[in-house]
Amino acid sequence: MGPASTVTRRSISWGTFAIFASLAALAITAFAADALFKPFGIEGRSLVDNLGQLLAGVTGSAACAWKATRTVGKERRGWILLSLSAGSWSLGQVAWAYYALVLQVPIPFPSFADALFLAAGPFTVAGILSFWDAPRGTATRWNVWLDGLIIVLSLIFTEWALDLRTTVMAAITSTAPLVTAYLNPVYLSADILVGTVVILAIRRATHRHKGRMLLLLAGIGAAALSDSTFAYLSANNTYTAGDVIDTGWVVGYLMVALAALWPVSETKVRIVNAPVDTWQLALPLTTVVVAAVTCLALAFSGNDLDGVMTAIIGITSILLTFRVITANRDAVAMLMKSLASEGNLAEVIARAPTGFVRINTEFGIIDANPQFSALLAAVDEQLIGSPITRYFSPEEGRRFVDLLQALRIGTVNAVDSDSEAHRTDGSVVWLHWSATVVRDEAGDRDDYFIAMFEDTTSRHDSEAAAAASLGLMQRLNSLKTDFLQSVSHEFKTALMGIQGFSELLLDTSELNVQEVKSFAADINRDAVRLDRLVTEMVELDRTESGRADLRLAAVDLNALVRREVDVLRALPEQPVIELHLDPALKPVPGDNAKLSEVMRTLLTNAVMRSPATGVVTVTTAAEAAGASVGVKDQGVGVRAEFDDRLFGQDDLYANSPIRKLVGTGLGLGIARQVIQLHGGRLWVVRTREGGSEYHFTLPITWRDRIAAAPRPSAPSAVAS
């Protein structure tokens, strides 16, 4: 039969089938009891006998017709033919009952009923052939013919020993017409043919047809037993109507009905290429066993084998020899093909670019291909027998085991994940792996796990870098927005002053010289502020790109600090500035003007943040590699999130000008770049009191500056 698509409607349930089977068993029991005990007398027995056989045949025909409406294709044709077979037999029983019950005359032999009985045979054979499944295993066409001949000869031998020899001899010695004389042997021959076809069909049957084919075989066997007994008794003129042997026909056609009603699950409908069961392979040989048992029974009972039986034994032995040879040849061919496939599979796994490994239920490595060994930088001797969890961290190993345990209990059919593995050489590799469980043939015990590993380190690193870059770009975009807002605020503040005072000058006609000078001073102050912002932005760009020039000279940092502090002290309402200068500090090479600007920026920033009563502390100190300067205030500390943005050394975008400026003005960004140009470092820390403490260092020699420079190509330096 073809795939599951041939079934158009669902079959009945097992509960419904059990009800029909129980009713059939009750009917058979009642029929047999009536035949044995005849509670209704001879006339009642004749009525029950004829009507019982008729109802059994009609039931079988109706069940097959119903099944035909539930199927399509070849299967529908098969059930229609079986329905016609049972229907033909039922019509024959109608004719038989007509003679017995209506006419009440001896039933002629042969009669119209016999013709209808025999017509059922071809319909049965054609119907069973419609269920002929594609060959499986060693069931090739040549082997089917051999099996068929062996089955036929074995059944003929058994029938010959039981009753076929009697009926044939009676036909040979009979003076009746040939049709009459050989009708009983024809009945027996038809049963042998039908039985052979059913056995061969079961040999090739798939899961969906096994049950119903066995029921058909049982039904045909019961009917054949009645046919054989009827032929034997008829040949000896000892058959009487209503005999208990008639029960076989009732059993046979009720079995046919149950075969049509046999439930088939959707799972079995889909199973087409399942392996052949052992009992299916042995079924054709059971007829040989039956013939052998018959032969032994004849020998022990003192009966000799005649020429026909001896010939059958000889021919069957030859056929069995050929069958064994062909079976062995096919088995060897399949074995060689299996070994070749196994070798090809092993070669594919060995050369696969992916690591394959078998893991036992204790999570130890059974075997692995070379690629898996290469992934973990281990040799096979190290891998085999070792727990696979040794190559993971404890936490990752527990997760790996938990996922495999889910496979064992059947929660999932397959698992896959990514894990960080530790190779034997100490390096780390990211692996994407998937695993499935292999169970024994019974399906109730786990044999081992099969896992496949792939090196995804590059992909993992790329994804991590991409995620980090995306996050940094988003943060950078936010910083850019903050920078633009900060700069635009500075520019708008200056422009508003210039615009407002200039509008007053334009719109007001009565202004004295003092007022004009005051407005002009405000306009000039805002213009200077704009000029300073633009100059600082240009200077920042120059220092950032390395295009700023340094005029190097020996700079006395102590004198520089005093000079800038004195300037601030001269201004009104300034906080106290304390100096703690190291007298041992030696001059350092640097640009005096730019370093003065750095010091001025730090002092201005500290003064601006400190309250009027606060204290700003400036310190200098000599270090082994140079000099350090610190400016500490008591004002509002630098925002924590800005600290790393401006001065963090581990930040990928620490050198971005936007990251250096937001929230601090341009001066600190320029100061940081100037210090870096000198080979030093500028950073800030928050004090316990809540203020900020800026520090910068400078190398003691220009060579140290070259070594400490953060850029590979230093800007030009001009000595003065």
Side-chain angles (χ1 to χ4, degrees):
M1 283 299 297
S5 60
T6 58
V7 179
T8 57
R9 302 178 187 175
R10 296 182 61 184
S11 60
I12 65 174
S13 65
W14 282 105
T16 305
F17 177 81
I19 294 174
F20 282 116
S22 300
L23 293 176
L26 289 175
I28 293 170
T29 303
F31 187 88
D34 183 78
L36 288 172
F37 303 109
K38 300 179 179 59
F40 304 109
I42 300 300
E43 292 184 358
R45 172 59 196 154
S46 178
L47 179 63
V48 171
D49 182 70
N50 285 278
L51 290 181
Q53 294 182 69
L54 177 60
L55 288 175
V58 171
T59 300
S61 178
C64 293
W66 173 84
K67 186 63 178 179
T69 63
R70 316 289 289 186
T71 55
V72 295
K74 290 175 59 179
E75 191 170 347
R76 169 178 285 184
R77 182 169 66 249
W79 289 114
I80 291 175
L81 290 170
L82 290 178
S83 177
L84 292 175
S85 173
S88 177
W89 194 91
S90 300
L91 291 175
Q93 186 60 39
V94 170
W96 186 283
Y98 179 74
Y99 286 115
L101 300 178
V102 178
L103 299 180
Q104 296 184 354
V105 298
I107 300 170
F109 187 77
S111 65
F112 183 66
D114 293 307
L116 291 171
F117 287 151
L118 289 174
F123 285 120
T124 302
V125 172
I128 293 173
L129 290 177
S130 297
F131 297 99
W132 203 261
D133 288 306
R136 297 187 300 147
T138 59
T140 62
R141 181 177 298 178
W142 174 250
N143 290 336
V144 168
W145 280 107
L146 282 176
D147 289 343
L149 289 174
I150 292 171
I151 294 169
V152 167
L153 290 174
S154 300
L155 293 177
I156 290 175
F157 182 90
T158 304
E159 286 283 359
W160 186 269
L162 297 177
D163 52 18
L164 185 57
R165 175 169 52 184
T166 301
T167 57
V168 170
M169 291 304 174
I172 293 174
T173 59
S174 176
T175 59
L178 290 178
V179 175
T180 303
Y182 286 93
L183 185 59
N184 284 327
V186 170
Y187 269 114
L188 298 177
S189 300
D191 290 337
I192 291 173
L193 177 61
V194 173
T196 300
V197 173
V198 173
I199 291 173
L200 292 176
I202 295 175
R203 165 67 178 81
R204 298 162 64 106
T206 55
H207 280 70
R208 61 185 303 189
H209 289 149
K210 287 179 184 178
R212 59 181 54 143
M213 287 294 106
L214 285 173
L215 285 173
L216 286 175
L217 178 62
I220 291 171
L225 180 62
S226 293
D227 287 339
S228 299
T229 308
F230 170 78
Y232 179 80
L233 296 176
S234 296
N236 294 315
N237 295 318
T238 57
Y239 174 76
T240 57
D243 197 280
V244 71
I245 66 169
D246 295 349
T247 307
W249 289 307
V250 175
V251 172
Y253 281 100
L254 289 181
M255 286 285 191
V256 171
L258 292 177
L261 299 176
W262 181 262
V264 180
S265 65
E266 292 296 328
T267 301
K268 289 189 175 182
V269 168
R270 294 185 176 91
I271 299 177
V272 178
N273 297 321
V276 181
D277 292 336
T278 303
W279 66 266
Q280 287 180 275
L281 294 173
L283 186 61
L285 299 178
T286 57
T287 58
V288 179
V289 174
V290 172
V293 172
T294 303
C295 183
L296 291 174
L298 291 174
F300 285 116
S301 62
N303 296 317
D304 296 330
L305 301 179
D306 58 20
V308 173
M309 300 174 75
T310 303
I312 292 175
I313 291 175
I315 297 173
T316 303
S317 300
I318 295 173
L319 293 176
L320 282 173
T321 302
F322 276 110
R323 183 67 180 89
V324 171
I325 293 174
T326 56
N328 288 338
R329 182 196 62 189
D330 294 340
V332 169
M334 294 178 65
L335 177 61
M336 296 303 296
K337 184 177 180 181
S338 176
L339 291 176
S341 299
E342 183 180 352
N344 291 336
L345 180 60
E347 184 70 14
V348 169
I349 293 177
R351 297 180 178 273
T354 303
F356 287 90
V357 61
R358 283 199 307 149
I359 308 168
N360 61 29
T361 54
E362 300 299 325
F363 310 106
I365 297 175
I366 301 175
D367 52 43
N369 70 339
Q371 181 61 25
F372 182 77
S373 301
L375 286 176
L376 298 180
V379 295
D380 292 343
E381 290 75 9
Q382 292 177 310
L383 288 174
I384 305 305
S386 64
I388 193 169
T389 52
R390 67 175 292 190
Y391 300 102
F392 301 127
S393 64
E395 181 180 354
E396 190 63 30
R398 287 191 294 270
R399 190 175 72 88
F400 184 87
V401 170
D402 290 341
L403 290 175
L404 292 192
Q405 291 287 12
L407 281 175
R408 296 188 65 179
I409 63 178
T411 306
V412 293
N413 295 325
V415 293
D416 66 278
S417 183
D418 290 276
S419 299
E420 186 182 49
H422 301 276
R423 309 174 76 195
T424 57
D425 60 4
S427 59
V428 175
V429 60
W430 276 93
L431 299 175
H432 177 77
W433 59 271
S434 58
T436 186
V437 64
V438 178
R439 295 183 170 87
D440 59 5
E441 294 182 358
D444 54 1
R445 184 175 62 86
D446 299 333
D447 273 355
Y448 54 86
F449 301 96
I450 292 180
M452 181 174 63
F453 291 82
E454 180 183 2
D455 186 352
T456 56
T457 304
S458 300
R459 185 179 69 186
H460 182 271
D461 292 344
S462 298
E463 291 175 352
S469 297
L470 178 60
L472 289 173
M473 291 301 294
Q474 291 174 343
R475 291 162 56 195
L476 184 60
N477 185 64
S478 176
L479 290 171
K480 179 197 70 174
T481 302
D482 293 344
F483 171 73
L484 291 177
Q485 291 176 349
S486 177
V487 172
S488 62
H489 174 73
E490 296 287 341
F491 274 86
K492 284 182 178 180
T493 301
L495 289 174
M496 286 178 62
I498 295 173
Q499 183 178 3
F501 289 119
S502 61
E503 287 179 354
L504 285 175
L505 291 175
L506 289 174
D507 295 339
T508 303
S509 57
E510 297 180 358
L511 288 175
N512 56 41
V513 175
Q514 190 61 32
E515 290 175 334
V516 171
K517 286 184 178 182
S518 176
F519 291 161
D522 291 333
I523 292 174
N524 180 72
R525 184 175 59 253
D526 288 333
V528 170
R529 183 178 183 181
L530 281 177
D531 180 69
R532 178 177 55 80
L533 287 172
V534 172
T535 301
E536 288 180 345
M537 291 180 66
V538 172
E539 184 65 22
L540 177 63
D541 178 65
R542 288 171 57 83
T543 56
E544 186 69 31
S545 60
R547 292 183 285 108
D549 294 335
L550 296 180
R551 295 186 175 273
L552 298 179
V555 178
D556 185 347
L557 290 179
N558 287 340
L560 184 147
V561 168
R562 290 191 187 94
R563 183 173 61 251
E564 295 300 329
V565 168
D566 290 341
V567 172
L568 283 178
R569 284 174 174 172
L571 299 176
E573 297 182 359
Q574 295 300 319
V576 177
I577 301 177
E578 295 181 353
L579 297 180
H580 300 280
L581 306 181
D582 186 356
L585 185 64
K586 297 180 180 180
V588 297
D591 189 316
N592 187 75
K594 293 187 180 299
L595 291 178
S596 297
E597 184 179 349
V598 169
M599 198 64 216
R600 189 179 311 121
T601 299
L602 295 180
L603 289 171
T604 302
N605 185 72
V607 169
M608 178 180 62
R609 290 178 176 275
S610 297
T613 58
V615 177
V616 174
T617 305
V618 181
T619 60
T620 62
E623 296 182 350
S628 67
V629 178
V631 179
K632 178 181 177 182
D633 62 57
Q634 295 179 339
V636 180
V638 178
R639 297 199 312 269
E641 66 271 20
F642 176 71
D643 193 353
D644 290 337
R645 293 178 184 176
L646 180 57
F647 301 105
Q649 297 302 304
D650 298 328
D651 196 332
L652 180 62
Y653 285 90
N655 290 325
S656 169
I658 295 176
R659 301 284 303 270
K660 302 165 194 165
L661 301 180
V662 175
T664 65
L666 299 177
L668 287 176
I670 296 173
R672 181 174 184 269
Q673 291 299 316
V674 168
I675 295 301
Q676 285 189 344
L677 285 175
H678 283 78
R681 187 168 72 92
L682 174 64
W683 72 96
V684 62
V685 294
R686 291 179 297 278
T687 63
R688 293 181 179 179
E689 295 79 9
S692 302
E693 186 172 358
Y694 290 87
H695 293 272
F696 69 85
T697 60
L698 293 174
I700 198 66
T701 63
W702 185 251
R703 180 175 299 177
D704 295 336
R705 180 264 173 196
I706 297 296
R711 300 180 183 278
S713 57
S716 59
V718 180
S720 58

